[in-house]
Amino acid sequence: MPELHTDVAIVGAGPAGLMLAHLLHNAGIDSVVVDNRSHDDIAHTHRAGILEAGSVRMLGADGIDSRVLTEGHRHDGIDIRIDGVSHLLDFPSLIGESVWLYPQNEIFVDLAAARARTSRPTFFSVTDTRLGDIDTDRPWVRAVTADGEDLRISARYVVGADGSRGPCRAMIPAERKEKFFHEYPFAWFGILCEAPPSHEVLIYSRSERGFALISQRSDSVQRMYFQTSPDTAVTDWSDDRIWSELQDRVAGPDGFELKTGPIIDKTVLPFRSAVHEPMQHGSLFLAGDSAHTVPPTGAKGLNLAFADVSVLAPALIAALKDSDAEALAGYSRAATNRVWKAQNFSYQMTRMLHTDENQDAFESRRSLGELRSMLDSDHGRRYLAECYTGWPNG
């Protein structure tokens, strides 16, 4: 296969990579996208579903034709339950914003269709992805296509949106990078079930038995989680035991009951936070999970990836169209500023809502006091609403 020449080579065809490719295309900048996963694998992988207001606005870019406003569900708040007593946060009245429930795999379907309409190259199911010369102004990406042909992409810039296990992050020299890591002492046991929604908004419940999240996926499929030990096996829990545990963790004097149904998937999700700095080196730039991961308590994972793109896209456009190389110099600093705000909020939510058998009685009561102090304060409720719906992008 002949060598492809492009402005930006993007490694990773998930929502972050495809969103970046589309924003560049709208500005007249060419890109080539590669991913080791197949189109169908990405389209059928169920992941995060809550979109911040800024992420929804990004999906409104010309040419995407996203279904988020027609098939997604606007959520005007969340319900935080403490020992069965609900505390509703009304986002519009607190800060004038909302969030949207729209699964990540559906975002990918929208963006992949938009990419296909541009007729620009996207290679799925590639193998042996490598990159090099990132210290120069002519970096390259190589891979083997699904048809077994060698692919070489010569670009001005390379963007790694290839997740935490991709090859891009490893290209930053060890002496130049620093990793910040935190592992939490618990995990989430998650289920997908065929049932109607149990509530109009997501429920975050703290009880003496531990944390539970009653989330949603669609009108007929729901996602729910409860706190468990990291060494829990999926086979440890029967369906009846799962429903009993979830109900016990949300039960309260109001008589609230979950809508139940057949469980179609079970998983155990470990809790970790990680940040890799810097998010750039030479002609290479990282975005999304390749640079940072957060626990899902604050609904920040995909939204952080889109926020990275909202900073990186205009910087690349300025560098390539206006020869403003300095526009890219501050990318990592600007992106990680938001990353650490999101890490703080995710950590805060996780620690306030979960019980930890390793904590002494003082710390357990202190974290509950922190949660109550926020919910009992107009300023605290606005703070929670602002963090959850997201800070301005870009």
Side-chain angles (χ1 to χ4, degrees):
M1 183 177 294
E3 182 174 2
L4 296 179
H5 298 273
T6 189
D7 296 317
V8 183
I10 301 173
V11 183
L18 291 181
M19 175 61 80
L20 176 62
H22 191 82
L23 295 178
L24 294 178
H25 173 78
N26 282 356
I29 292 173
D30 189 52
S31 64
V32 176
V33 184
V34 300
D35 200 295
N36 64 345
R37 299 164 295 176
S38 72
H39 179 285
D40 287 349
D41 283 345
I42 307 174
H44 294 98
T45 299
H46 295 277
R47 297 187 66 188
I50 292 294
L51 292 179
E52 296 174 356
S55 297
V56 174
R57 285 190 278 270
M58 289 180 70
L59 287 169
D62 289 345
I64 294 181
D65 296 333
S66 173
R67 296 164 294 144
V68 62
L69 297 181
T70 56
E71 298 186 20
H73 299 272
R74 192 182 78 187
H75 282 200
D76 288 335
I78 57 174
D79 185 358
I80 298 180
R81 284 174 76 87
I82 304 176
D83 295 328
V85 177
S86 285
H87 304 262
L88 180 65
L89 295 182
D90 187 311
F91 295 156
S93 66
L94 288 167
I95 56 162
E97 291 283 13
S98 298
V99 295
W100 288 79
L101 175 73
Y102 192 57
Q104 181 169 325
N105 55 307
E106 298 299 336
I107 297 170
F108 165 78
V109 170
D110 292 344
L111 290 170
R115 176 68 176 177
R117 289 192 293 271
T118 70
S119 299
R120 300 310 303 143
T122 304
F123 296 88
F124 292 100
S125 301
V126 303
T127 56
D128 195 26
T129 304
R130 294 163 289 158
L131 55 157
D133 290 341
I134 63 169
D135 289 307
T136 74
D137 60 2
R138 297 310 297 172
W140 51 263
V141 174
R142 292 179 179 174
V144 177
T145 70
D147 296 326
E149 297 184 319
D150 290 331
L151 172 66
R152 179 184 170 98
I153 307 163
S154 175
R156 177 58 189 90
Y157 299 106
V158 174
V159 173
D162 51 340
S164 59
R165 295 184 176 88
C168 291
R169 185 170 69 204
M171 293 301 299
I172 298 179
E175 65 273 13
R176 285 288 321 279
K177 61 186 176 183
E178 189 171 6
K179 178 181 180 181
F180 304 89
F181 179 78
H182 180 75
E183 186 162 17
Y184 296 83
F186 35 73
W188 277 3
F189 193 109
I191 64 166
L192 272 177
C193 64
E194 296 176 342
S198 293
H199 196 40
E200 292 84 358
V201 296
L202 272 63
I203 299 173
Y204 289 78
S205 179
R206 171 172 173 152
S207 73
E208 292 185 356
R209 298 184 66 87
F211 172 76
L213 171 61
I214 310 305
S215 184
Q216 300 172 12
R217 188 62 60 191
S218 69
D219 290 335
S220 58
V221 176
Q222 313 308 320
R223 173 72 83 181
M224 303 183 191
Y225 301 92
F226 61 87
Q227 174 188 348
T228 189
S229 169
D231 58 5
T232 298
V234 167
T235 53
D236 292 344
W237 290 78
S238 67
D239 290 7
D240 288 344
R241 186 185 174 201
I242 290 170
W243 284 121
S244 177
E245 188 65 31
L246 282 166
Q247 182 60 52
D248 285 345
R249 296 195 187 193
V250 299
D254 58 359
F256 176 77
E257 291 189 7
L258 295 171
K259 302 289 198 307
T260 63
I263 295 175
I264 55 178
D265 183 66
K266 304 176 185 178
T267 186
V268 175
L269 180 67
F271 260 46
R272 303 183 179 98
S273 289
V275 180
H276 297 258
E277 295 187 34
M279 293 172 60
Q280 64 188 96
H281 177 76
S283 297
L284 171 66
F285 300 84
L286 304 179
D289 286 0
S290 62
H292 43 72
T293 56
V294 292
T297 325
K300 290 296 170 227
L302 173 62
N303 293 296
L304 267 186
F306 270 17
D308 291 345
V309 170
S310 76
V311 177
L312 183 55
L316 285 168
I317 292 167
L320 288 163
K321 297 197 75 171
D322 303 327
S323 299
D324 182 7
E326 286 301 309
L328 284 166
Y331 165 66
S332 181
R333 182 176 61 256
T336 53
N337 178 57
R338 185 191 182 97
V339 168
W340 281 112
K341 289 167 66 175
Q343 290 287 3
N344 175 64
F345 178 64
S346 298
Y347 179 92
Q348 227 173 2
M349 289 284 282
T350 300
R351 283 302 187 181
M352 289 191 300
L353 290 165
H354 291 70
T355 58
D356 183 355
E357 61 183 16
N358 297 317
Q359 289 178 341
D360 58 26
F362 175 89
E363 179 57 26
S364 178
R365 292 299 182 94
R366 186 216 60 79
S367 65
L368 181 57
E370 181 183 5
L371 179 58
R372 289 191 183 279
S373 69
M374 289 195 180
L375 294 175
D376 291 345
S377 161
D378 289 341
H379 296 291
R381 294 165 74 88
R382 280 196 291 270
Y383 166 78
L384 290 174
E386 179 187 37
C387 292
Y388 198 91
T389 60
W391 310 276
N393 278 354

